Amino acid sequence: MTKSRELFGEIINPWTGIIRGKAIVSSSKISFLGDVDIETGIIVDPFSDIRGRSIRNTVFIFRGGRGSTVGASVIYGLAKRGNAPLALVTIEVDPVVVAGAIFAGIPMISRVPEEIFDIVSSGDIVELIPENSKKAMIRVLKG
């Protein structure tokens, strides 16, 4: 039997319909300039808890952004190359990540409770469901 758990967050970059995908989860902040290979979507930061994993076509859940403002351009570049995540889900709102999500047309939710790191693991299937124009549900599906 499949169990599910639901969390809520604030919609930063809206979408329509339900987004369903495999989660990749990092409890760290990410610098898109330097931590992510734009040509592959693979995390290359040697200190990252998800080093060697691809964020391509995933629901990427992470604490927030850090570092250079060029990160927004990297997010856009990931999308142009087909290496972007399906959606970005963060605890902290970071203007660089927000700008990148908007430029790249990537759905984004933020201000998600920290307990997401205890509930969702990389490889879990999650659904992002808009409740209204400001709030979205994150449904975590586990087998």
Side-chain angles (χ1 to χ4, degrees):
M1 173 178 253
T2 301
K3 297 182 219 173
S4 71
R5 177 78 196 266
E6 297 167 355
L7 299 164
F8 293 88
E10 179 183 329
I11 294 174
I12 302 295
N13 198 29
W15 68 96
T16 57
I18 296 174
I19 297 171
R20 182 183 180 134
K22 190 178 288 188
I24 183 143
V25 182
S26 174
S27 59
S28 301
K29 289 188 174 186
I30 301 293
S31 171
F32 282 88
L33 178 64
D35 290 358
V36 183
D37 182 336
I38 196 171
E39 298 297 331
T40 63
I42 293 174
I43 302 294
V44 295
D45 174 12
F47 302 106
S48 174
D49 54 351
I50 55 171
R51 181 176 185 256
R53 306 283 305 268
S54 176
I55 62 171
R56 183 178 188 260
N57 293 327
T58 66
V59 175
F60 185 27
I61 301 169
F62 59 108
R63 182 164 304 283
R66 66 172 173 78
S68 174
T69 56
V70 177
S73 295
V74 174
I75 295 169
Y76 177 78
L78 286 165
K80 282 297 184 190
R81 290 168 176 80
N83 295 323
L86 297 172
L88 300 170
V89 178
T90 64
I91 307 302
E92 301 171 10
V93 179
D94 176 77
V96 171
V97 177
V98 169
I102 292 169
F103 295 154
I106 301 171
M108 182 175 175
I109 302 172
S110 195
R111 294 191 174 100
V112 174
E114 285 228 23
E115 70 180 301
I116 196 165
F117 296 129
D118 298 325
I119 296 168
V120 183
S121 299
S122 290
D124 288 346
I125 301 299
V126 296
E127 292 179 336
L128 308 180
I129 306 164
E131 294 276 300
N132 55 47
S133 64
K134 295 183 181 189
K135 180 178 167 185
M137 177 174 50
I138 303 153
R139 180 180 294 144
V140 184
L141 305 172
K142 295 187 181 235

